[in-house]
Amino acid sequence: MSRNLRMPLGPPPTAEPRATVTAVVALGANLGDREATLENALAELRRLPLVDEVTASMPIESVALTLEGPDESEPAYLNAVALVRTRLAPSVLLGMLHAIEARHGRERREKWGARTLDLDLIAYGDVESDDERLRLPHPRAAERDFVLAPWLEVDPDAVLPGRGRVADLLAALRGGGA
């Protein structure tokens, strides 16, 4: 028997609390009661552990995007952006976003298909990641008016990491230059 087993364990190791970060989450729905779905998803975001504050934009309507491009024959989306002040790790937050989607009936059958709820992690502080499981910032965020416009509403000084000021990106997207 080892003599170390008789030694007291001592105090438990202490872990430094994770710093609070602002994550940007895009919300969208084009099936069912879109407004109620977004409201319920925001309420669920506010109840997540280690989430201190959620600030959401007003919802806007946008044309459905499919693999072939914008499709006005598909149900229109209701979109919003939420700033989530959290101490959750980005991968944990993403997993929780997927769980919220699943609770709202999200089925991942077809890429860019109609959905009851879509929650995208657009940015997590200034973190940049090319990991296929967690790409940050979201690779198509700078191309989406329905992400940039509501984001700018809740954070007029927003910056998309690696891409620039959200106001400039939105102006360029709308043809107004940077």
Side-chain angles (χ1 to χ4, degrees), residues 11 26 52 67 95 152 163 173 175:
D52 299 326
L67 287 173
L152 199 56
R163 299 301 298 269
L173 194 61

Side-chain angles (χ1 to χ4, degrees), residues 18-25 42 44-56 81-89 93 97 121 123-126 154-155:
R18 181 179 283 279
T20 302
V21 172
T22 299
V24 180
V25 176
L42 286 166
E44 287 188 60
L45 283 173
R46 288 182 176 101
R47 289 192 302 267
L48 290 177
L50 302 179
V51 166
D52 299 326
E53 181 181 2
V54 175
T55 304
V81 165
L83 302 181
V84 180
R85 298 277 300 151
T86 183
R87 287 161 296 165
L88 292 168
L93 177 58
L97 296 179
L121 184 55
Y124 183 91
D126 60 0
V154 291
D155 184 0

Side-chain angles (χ1 to χ4, degrees), residues 1 7 9 27 31-32 39 43 47 54 64 71 82 88 106 111 113 115 129 131 136 142-143 148 150 170:
M1 176 180 274
M7 295 180 67
L9 293 174
L27 301 89
L31 297 176
E39 287 173 8
R47 289 192 302 267
V54 175
D71 187 345
L88 292 168
R106 168 78 187 264
K111 187 172 182 164
R115 54 200 68 172
S129 170
D131 186 310
L136 288 172
E143 305 164 7
L148 299 175
L170 184 59

Side-chain angles (χ1 to χ4, degrees), residues 59-159:
I60 62 168
E61 193 165 83
S62 66
V63 66
L65 282 181
T66 66
L67 287 173
E68 291 77 37
D71 187 345
E72 293 188 15
S73 70
E74 290 290 321
Y77 272 86
L78 200 58
N79 300 99
V81 165
L83 302 181
V84 180
R85 298 277 300 151
T86 183
R87 287 161 296 165
L88 292 168
S91 59
V92 174
L93 177 58
L94 182 63
M96 291 183 171
L97 296 179
H98 288 168
I100 293 170
E101 287 177 336
R103 284 194 293 276
H104 286 273
R106 168 78 187 264
E107 295 178 2
R108 296 178 183 272
R109 286 189 263 194
E110 119 185 49
K111 187 172 182 164
W112 293 10
R115 54 200 68 172
T116 54
L117 180 62
D118 185 31
L119 299 175
D120 286 334
L121 184 55
I122 301 301
Y124 183 91
D126 60 0
V127 172
E128 294 187 48
S129 170
D130 285 329
D131 186 310
E132 67 183 43
R133 294 166 292 172
L134 180 64
R135 296 194 194 280
L136 288 172
H138 190 286
R140 291 173 299 282
E143 305 164 7
R144 296 182 170 166
D145 186 293
F146 59 85
V147 169
L148 299 175
W151 185 1
L152 199 56
E153 175 193 326
V154 291
D155 184 0
D157 299 319
V159 173

